[in-house]
Amino acid sequence: MLKIEKDHSLIKYTTLKISSQADYFAVIKNKSELLEAIKFAKDNQQAIFVLGGGSNVLLTNRIKGLLIKNEIKGIQVVKKNKDTILVEASSGEIWSKFVSYTVENKLYGLENLFLIYGTVGAAPVQNIGAYGVELKDYFYQLQAIDFKSGKEKTFSITDCRFGYRDSIFKNKFKGKYFIYSVTLKLLSKPNFKLNYGSIGAALINKGIKKPTAIDVIKTIEEIRNSKLPNPFVLPNAGSFFKNPEVNLQIFKKLLQQYPDMPSFPVSRTKVKIPAGWLIEQVGLKGKKFGPVRMYEKQALILVNEGGASAKQVLNLVAKVKLAVKKKFGLDLSEEVNII
Ligand code: EPU
């Protein structure tokens, strides 16, 4: 029988390590435990919250309801075609371990997404991305269970409405489905994307002309480790904000005032401006506010030295947003899910 605990502390379940509590808490390892948890919530009129790796979450309040910690594991190849392979992973698998599995088994495509913290189930929710690759580039479909009816539903790539760190599961279907498994369409031959930032240059520096997938993930690891704090050493939730998308006309005006402003093209009419650069420009990079600060090597990452409260985090978030708005007239929005 599923173990459901009352008044459970959540501090160890999120990488930001903010103290919080759930009215009810259960760890689930398979579908029958999930259905048991859904039944418990229904019978006791409790709301359900799902937590994967907790790497993109800020808990600001007590969870009034049942918090499910997803530990459903399993990876299987479902179909092999000539050039592509469909691989299904259960949602409680650790994303980075899954990427390692694909590399070990010569399934190509996910290399640049190595070392993103969190679970497979959380990956489509925010369409994780790094170094020019997004989950949606290799997404095939996902299986989800409707919390209300308990019925299964398949979501295709169009059903998911992927956007920049966005999907239907952050909007219309927020809190409505439990993502049970994700199927990716991977490649049987390498098609590395090395032209983003310093990946190609780093490989050439190492004298590697024809990289293997292992070379690529090792390079990604080195680049990430040089800038991004390991959440198990210095608690953080990755990029705290999204990079704002700005109209080309507005960007041109900003560029007159700030000629060094970096940007990435999004479409013919829009560019993305790195929020890390904006935060650095307003003087908040590395500046401490009690136990919290925007990280000194990458200002987009909010770090907790230890013991921070949700209020201290939210105060810094408000400071950052206000300063960026004041100086650049731009609105930053949070990438982290604030619950
Ligand atoms: N920059 C600064 N100061 C800073 C940080 C960045 O000037 O403190 C400038 C850099 O010089 C560079 C630009 O901003 O010109 C972009 O920086 P970087 O390549 O580090 O990437 P990012 O745009 O800050 C995004 C993702 C990361 C992902 C990297 C690499 C978002 C919100 N973040 O960051 O994703 O790892 O690109 O692809 O899109 C995450 O989502 O949690 C995450 C870490």
Side-chain angles (χ1 to χ4, degrees):
M1 221 184 87
L2 182 67
K3 191 169 153 202
I4 295 177
E5 288 168 83
K6 241 188 139 179
D7 298 323
H8 198 81
S9 164
L10 300 177
I11 191 158
K12 65 176 189 197
Y13 297 107
T14 67
T15 59
L16 246 180
K17 297 279 178 286
I18 303 295
S19 150
S20 179
Q21 294 238 320
D23 286 350
Y24 296 96
F25 176 84
V27 175
I28 56 158
K29 294 192 187 282
N30 53 48
K31 201 177 274 177
S32 74
E33 287 185 350
L34 168 67
L35 295 176
E36 234 183 284
I38 292 176
K39 186 174 182 307
F40 170 89
K42 215 178 219 170
D43 292 350
N44 294 281
Q45 293 175 341
Q46 296 293 324
I48 297 180
F49 300 83
V50 182
L51 199 61
S55 57
N56 201 41
V57 193
L58 168 62
L59 299 173
T60 55
N61 284 305
R62 185 185 177 88
I63 299 287
K64 291 200 171 12
L66 170 64
L67 189 125
I68 297 177
K69 171 90 170 73
N70 179 4
E71 289 187 6
I72 303 176
K73 309 266 184 194
I75 301 174
Q76 52 174 334
V77 171
V78 273
K79 198 169 177 207
K80 274 189 181 171
N81 297 318
K82 190 168 159 276
D83 301 322
T84 57
I85 296 117
L86 295 184
V87 186
E88 184 179 11
S90 297
S91 52
E93 284 285 345
I94 302 297
W95 173 260
S96 229
K97 278 196 186 156
F98 172 58
V99 176
S100 299
Y101 165 93
T102 65
V103 169
E104 278 160 23
N105 289 279
K106 301 198 166 20
L107 306 168
Y108 299 96
L110 303 181
E111 303 79 18
N112 292 19
L113 304 180
F114 184 54
L115 272 195
I116 294 183
Y117 295 97
T119 53
V120 164
V125 175
Q126 60 145 357
N127 182 25
I128 56 170
Y131 308 107
V133 177
E134 284 184 323
L135 180 87
K136 75 167 167 45
D137 303 337
Y138 292 96
F139 181 89
Y140 182 68
Q141 64 179 34
L142 65 79
Q143 294 297 122
I145 292 169
D146 184 337
F147 279 126
K148 242 187 187 163
S149 66
K151 279 196 185 137
E152 275 198 40
K153 183 174 154 68
T154 303
F155 285 79
S156 69
I157 188 160
T158 33
D159 295 335
C160 290
R161 311 240 180 104
F162 289 124
Y164 168 51
R165 295 294 193 277
D166 202 27
S167 76
I168 198 156
F169 302 105
K170 268 185 135 177
N171 299 293
K172 189 174 158 198
F173 290 158
K174 190 173 179 172
K176 298 229 175 352
Y177 285 91
F178 179 91
I179 296 175
Y180 187 76
S181 72
V182 179
T183 305
L184 296 165
K185 192 179 191 172
L186 302 176
L187 306 173
S188 55
K189 291 200 189 82
N191 180 27
F192 302 135
K193 206 161 179 187
L194 307 175
N195 52 0
Y196 184 98
S198 46
I199 305 174
L203 283 162
I204 288 172
N205 268 344
K206 289 198 267 182
I208 300 172
K209 282 197 190 112
K210 272 192 110 189
T212 62
I214 292 180
D215 293 330
V216 177
I217 63 167
K218 276 199 175 145
T219 304
I220 298 283
E221 183 169 17
E222 284 155 18
I223 295 173
R224 289 187 77 96
N225 286 345
S226 71
K227 282 201 212 173
L228 306 174
N230 179 341
F232 302 105
V233 178
L234 186 57
N236 73 84
S239 302
F240 203 94
F241 300 97
K242 293 190 201 182
N243 289 333
E245 293 187 353
V246 176
N247 240 313
L248 217 50
Q249 282 137 318
I250 297 177
F251 176 63
K252 279 184 183 154
K253 269 194 196 149
L254 283 167
L255 211 52
Q256 283 173 358
Q257 237 181 319
Y258 307 101
D260 299 335
M261 182 179 265
S263 66
F264 300 101
V266 175
S267 66
R268 279 202 300 181
T269 54
K270 279 188 173 170
V271 297
K272 246 186 239 173
I273 301 177
W277 185 87
L278 297 168
I279 296 167
E280 184 169 349
Q281 295 302 307
V282 299
L284 288 172
K285 185 173 180 168
K287 200 168 166 188
K288 278 194 183 200
F289 298 90
V292 291
R293 65 183 191 276
M294 303 313 291
Y295 191 51
E296 49 282 5
K297 290 190 212 162
Q298 206 331 345
L300 195 48
I301 318 267
L302 188 152
V303 298
N304 167 19
E305 261 175 24
S309 65
K311 198 160 174 247
Q312 283 171 312
V313 173
L314 290 173
N315 281 344
L316 176 54
V317 169
K319 259 194 194 85
V320 169
K321 288 173 99 169
L322 189 68
V324 169
K325 178 81 178 171
K326 237 178 155 180
K327 188 170 169 109
F328 298 101
L330 297 175
D331 291 302
L332 289 186
S333 57
E334 291 84 355
E335 204 246 87
V336 165
N337 295 310
I338 299 179
I339 300 174

PDB file of all heavy atoms in Angstrom, residues 217-234:
ATOM      1  N   ILE A 217      29.529  15.630 -24.961  1.00  0.00           N
ATOM      2  CA  ILE A 217      28.951  15.821 -23.612  1.00  0.00           C
ATOM      3  C   ILE A 217      30.022  16.231 -22.591  1.00  0.00           C
ATOM      4  O   ILE A 217      29.738  16.976 -21.666  1.00  0.00           O
ATOM      5  CB  ILE A 217      28.099  14.620 -23.115  1.00  0.00           C
ATOM      6  CG1 ILE A 217      28.908  13.350 -22.958  1.00  0.00           C
ATOM      7  CG2 ILE A 217      26.865  14.400 -23.966  1.00  0.00           C
ATOM      8  CD1 ILE A 217      28.163  12.272 -22.179  1.00  0.00           C
ATOM      9  N   LYS A 218      31.255  15.766 -22.800  1.00  0.00           N
ATOM     10  CA  LYS A 218      32.337  16.183 -21.886  1.00  0.00           C
ATOM     11  C   LYS A 218      32.579  17.686 -22.018  1.00  0.00           C
ATOM     12  O   LYS A 218      32.807  18.386 -21.022  1.00  0.00           O
ATOM     13  CB  LYS A 218      33.628  15.424 -22.211  1.00  0.00           C
ATOM     14  CG  LYS A 218      33.672  14.082 -21.541  1.00  0.00           C
ATOM     15  CD  LYS A 218      35.097  13.564 -21.491  1.00  0.00           C
ATOM     16  CE  LYS A 218      35.151  12.265 -20.702  1.00  0.00           C
ATOM     17  NZ  LYS A 218      36.134  11.336 -21.226  1.00  0.00           N
ATOM     18  N   THR A 219      32.514  18.179 -23.255  1.00  0.00           N
ATOM     19  CA  THR A 219      32.729  19.612 -23.491  1.00  0.00           C
ATOM     20  C   THR A 219      31.578  20.417 -22.884  1.00  0.00           C
ATOM     21  O   THR A 219      31.801  21.451 -22.249  1.00  0.00           O
ATOM     22  CB  THR A 219      32.850  19.879 -25.010  1.00  0.00           C
ATOM     23  OG1 THR A 219      33.898  19.040 -25.500  1.00  0.00           O
ATOM     24  CG2 THR A 219      33.172  21.315 -25.310  1.00  0.00           C
ATOM     25  N   ILE A 220      30.361  19.930 -23.071  1.00  0.00           N
ATOM     26  CA  ILE A 220      29.206  20.603 -22.464  1.00  0.00           C
ATOM     27  C   ILE A 220      29.394  20.663 -20.942  1.00  0.00           C
ATOM     28  O   ILE A 220      29.176  21.698 -20.303  1.00  0.00           O
ATOM     29  CB  ILE A 220      27.882  19.841 -22.788  1.00  0.00           C
ATOM     30  CG1 ILE A 220      27.618  19.817 -24.293  1.00  0.00           C
ATOM     31  CG2 ILE A 220      26.698  20.380 -21.991  1.00  0.00           C
ATOM     32  CD1 ILE A 220      27.094  21.078 -24.898  1.00  0.00           C
ATOM     33  N   GLU A 221      29.863  19.551 -20.392  1.00  0.00           N
ATOM     34  CA  GLU A 221      30.074  19.486 -18.942  1.00  0.00           C
ATOM     35  C   GLU A 221      31.092  20.540 -18.494  1.00  0.00           C
ATOM     36  O   GLU A 221      30.876  21.256 -17.512  1.00  0.00           O
ATOM     37  CB  GLU A 221      30.547  18.077 -18.566  1.00  0.00           C
ATOM     38  CG  GLU A 221      30.717  17.871 -17.076  1.00  0.00           C
ATOM     39  CD  GLU A 221      30.929  16.407 -16.703  1.00  0.00           C
ATOM     40  OE1 GLU A 221      31.271  15.580 -17.587  1.00  0.00           O
ATOM     41  OE2 GLU A 221      30.744  16.105 -15.514  1.00  0.00           O
ATOM     42  N   GLU A 222      32.176  20.658 -19.257  1.00  0.00           N
ATOM     43  CA  GLU A 222      33.216  21.636 -18.890  1.00  0.00           C
ATOM     44  C   GLU A 222      32.679  23.070 -18.980  1.00  0.00           C
ATOM     45  O   GLU A 222      32.918  23.879 -18.085  1.00  0.00           O
ATOM     46  CB  GLU A 222      34.437  21.476 -19.816  1.00  0.00           C
ATOM     47  CG  GLU A 222      35.288  20.271 -19.457  1.00  0.00           C
ATOM     48  CD  GLU A 222      36.095  19.732 -20.642  1.00  0.00           C
ATOM     49  OE1 GLU A 222      36.272  20.471 -21.649  1.00  0.00           O
ATOM     50  OE2 GLU A 222      36.527  18.569 -20.565  1.00  0.00           O
ATOM     51  N   ILE A 223      31.948  23.345 -20.070  1.00  0.00           N
ATOM     52  CA  ILE A 223      31.417  24.709 -20.235  1.00  0.00           C
ATOM     53  C   ILE A 223      30.422  25.016 -19.113  1.00  0.00           C
ATOM     54  O   ILE A 223      30.471  26.079 -18.488  1.00  0.00           O
ATOM     55  CB  ILE A 223      30.750  24.880 -21.623  1.00  0.00           C
ATOM     56  CG1 ILE A 223      31.794  24.741 -22.730  1.00  0.00           C
ATOM     57  CG2 ILE A 223      30.036  26.232 -21.724  1.00  0.00           C
ATOM     58  CD1 ILE A 223      31.225  24.731 -24.139  1.00  0.00           C
ATOM     59  N   ARG A 224      29.535  24.083 -18.841  1.00  0.00           N
ATOM     60  CA  ARG A 224      28.536  24.316 -17.780  1.00  0.00           C
ATOM     61  C   ARG A 224      29.227  24.507 -16.424  1.00  0.00           C
ATOM     62  O   ARG A 224      28.883  25.412 -15.670  1.00  0.00           O
ATOM     63  CB  ARG A 224      27.537  23.162 -17.707  1.00  0.00           C
ATOM     64  CG  ARG A 224      26.587  23.101 -18.875  1.00  0.00           C
ATOM     65  CD  ARG A 224      25.526  22.048 -18.654  1.00  0.00           C
ATOM     66  NE  ARG A 224      24.503  22.494 -17.724  1.00  0.00           N
ATOM     67  CZ  ARG A 224      23.343  23.023 -18.084  1.00  0.00           C
ATOM     68  NH1 ARG A 224      23.034  23.138 -19.332  1.00  0.00           N
ATOM     69  NH2 ARG A 224      22.481  23.424 -17.179  1.00  0.00           N
ATOM     70  N   ASN A 225      30.193  23.616 -16.128  1.00  0.00           N
ATOM     71  CA  ASN A 225      30.851  23.709 -14.824  1.00  0.00           C
ATOM     72  C   ASN A 225      31.637  25.000 -14.646  1.00  0.00           C
ATOM     73  O   ASN A 225      31.850  25.459 -13.526  1.00  0.00           O
ATOM     74  CB  ASN A 225      31.780  22.511 -14.603  1.00  0.00           C
ATOM     75  CG  ASN A 225      30.981  21.247 -14.307  1.00  0.00           C
ATOM     76  OD1 ASN A 225      29.783  21.323 -14.005  1.00  0.00           O
ATOM     77  ND2 ASN A 225      31.610  20.097 -14.417  1.00  0.00           N
ATOM     78  N   SER A 226      32.067  25.602 -15.774  1.00  0.00           N
ATOM     79  CA  SER A 226      32.852  26.829 -15.633  1.00  0.00           C
ATOM     80  C   SER A 226      31.957  28.027 -15.297  1.00  0.00           C
ATOM     81  O   SER A 226      32.435  29.033 -14.783  1.00  0.00           O
ATOM     82  CB  SER A 226      33.636  27.097 -16.918  1.00  0.00           C
ATOM     83  OG  SER A 226      32.745  27.480 -17.943  1.00  0.00           O
ATOM     84  N   LYS A 227      30.653  27.919 -15.566  1.00  0.00           N
ATOM     85  CA  LYS A 227      29.760  29.071 -15.355  1.00  0.00           C
ATOM     86  C   LYS A 227      28.647  28.814 -14.344  1.00  0.00           C
ATOM     87  O   LYS A 227      28.205  29.706 -13.642  1.00  0.00           O
ATOM     88  CB  LYS A 227      29.039  29.388 -16.673  1.00  0.00           C
ATOM     89  CG  LYS A 227      29.827  30.122 -17.681  1.00  0.00           C
ATOM     90  CD  LYS A 227      28.840  30.761 -18.627  1.00  0.00           C
ATOM     91  CE  LYS A 227      29.389  30.853 -20.023  1.00  0.00           C
ATOM     92  NZ  LYS A 227      28.384  31.307 -20.963  1.00  0.00           N
ATOM     93  N   LEU A 228      28.143  27.572 -14.367  1.00  0.00           N
ATOM     94  CA  LEU A 228      26.926  27.310 -13.603  1.00  0.00           C
ATOM     95  C   LEU A 228      27.236  26.589 -12.296  1.00  0.00           C
ATOM     96  O   LEU A 228      27.987  25.614 -12.286  1.00  0.00           O
ATOM     97  CB  LEU A 228      25.953  26.467 -14.442  1.00  0.00           C
ATOM     98  CG  LEU A 228      25.600  27.019 -15.825  1.00  0.00           C
ATOM     99  CD1 LEU A 228      24.754  26.031 -16.608  1.00  0.00           C
ATOM    100  CD2 LEU A 228      24.848  28.333 -15.684  1.00  0.00           C
ATOM    101  N   PRO A 229      26.678  27.064 -11.196  1.00  0.00           N
ATOM    102  CA  PRO A 229      26.955  26.405  -9.914  1.00  0.00           C
ATOM    103  C   PRO A 229      26.246  25.056  -9.819  1.00  0.00           C
ATOM    104  O   PRO A 229      25.104  24.927 -10.258  1.00  0.00           O
ATOM    105  CB  PRO A 229      26.382  27.388  -8.890  1.00  0.00           C
ATOM    106  CG  PRO A 229      25.341  28.159  -9.638  1.00  0.00           C
ATOM    107  CD  PRO A 229      25.760  28.203 -11.070  1.00  0.00           C
ATOM    108  N   ASN A 230      26.934  24.066  -9.273  1.00  0.00           N
ATOM    109  CA  ASN A 230      26.315  22.760  -9.050  1.00  0.00           C
ATOM    110  C   ASN A 230      25.284  22.895  -7.918  1.00  0.00           C
ATOM    111  O   ASN A 230      25.626  23.267  -6.804  1.00  0.00           O
ATOM    112  CB  ASN A 230      27.423  21.772  -8.650  1.00  0.00           C
ATOM    113  CG  ASN A 230      26.884  20.391  -8.368  1.00  0.00           C
ATOM    114  OD1 ASN A 230      25.680  20.214  -8.119  1.00  0.00           O
ATOM    115  ND2 ASN A 230      27.756  19.407  -8.405  1.00  0.00           N
ATOM    116  N   PRO A 231      23.998  22.622  -8.206  1.00  0.00           N
ATOM    117  CA  PRO A 231      22.976  22.839  -7.178  1.00  0.00           C
ATOM    118  C   PRO A 231      23.174  21.997  -5.924  1.00  0.00           C
ATOM    119  O   PRO A 231      22.651  22.342  -4.860  1.00  0.00           O
ATOM    120  CB  PRO A 231      21.666  22.456  -7.884  1.00  0.00           C
ATOM    121  CG  PRO A 231      22.062  21.692  -9.085  1.00  0.00           C
ATOM    122  CD  PRO A 231      23.439  22.127  -9.460  1.00  0.00           C
ATOM    123  N   PHE A 232      23.960  20.915  -6.040  1.00  0.00           N
ATOM    124  CA  PHE A 232      24.178  20.096  -4.844  1.00  0.00           C
ATOM    125  C   PHE A 232      25.282  20.689  -3.967  1.00  0.00           C
ATOM    126  O   PHE A 232      25.488  20.261  -2.842  1.00  0.00           O
ATOM    127  CB  PHE A 232      24.458  18.644  -5.243  1.00  0.00           C
ATOM    128  CG  PHE A 232      23.310  18.085  -6.048  1.00  0.00           C
ATOM    129  CD1 PHE A 232      23.407  17.910  -7.416  1.00  0.00           C
ATOM    130  CD2 PHE A 232      22.086  17.817  -5.424  1.00  0.00           C
ATOM    131  CE1 PHE A 232      22.326  17.451  -8.159  1.00  0.00           C
ATOM    132  CE2 PHE A 232      20.994  17.360  -6.157  1.00  0.00           C
ATOM    133  CZ  PHE A 232      21.114  17.175  -7.524  1.00  0.00           C
ATOM    134  N   VAL A 233      25.993  21.680  -4.495  1.00  0.00           N
ATOM    135  CA  VAL A 233      27.035  22.354  -3.710  1.00  0.00           C
ATOM    136  C   VAL A 233      26.531  23.739  -3.306  1.00  0.00           C
ATOM    137  O   VAL A 233      26.632  24.141  -2.139  1.00  0.00           O
ATOM    138  CB  VAL A 233      28.341  22.479  -4.548  1.00  0.00           C
ATOM    139  CG1 VAL A 233      29.401  23.220  -3.761  1.00  0.00           C
ATOM    140  CG2 VAL A 233      28.844  21.101  -4.983  1.00  0.00           C
ATOM    141  N   LEU A 234      25.979  24.484  -4.255  1.00  0.00           N
ATOM    142  CA  LEU A 234      25.440  25.813  -3.988  1.00  0.00           C
ATOM    143  C   LEU A 234      23.988  25.840  -4.503  1.00  0.00           C
ATOM    144  O   LEU A 234      23.750  25.921  -5.711  1.00  0.00           O
ATOM    145  CB  LEU A 234      26.295  26.863  -4.725  1.00  0.00           C
ATOM    146  CG  LEU A 234      25.981  28.329  -4.478  1.00  0.00           C
ATOM    147  CD1 LEU A 234      26.061  28.689  -2.998  1.00  0.00           C
ATOM    148  CD2 LEU A 234      26.925  29.222  -5.284  1.00  0.00           C
TER     149      LEU A 234
END
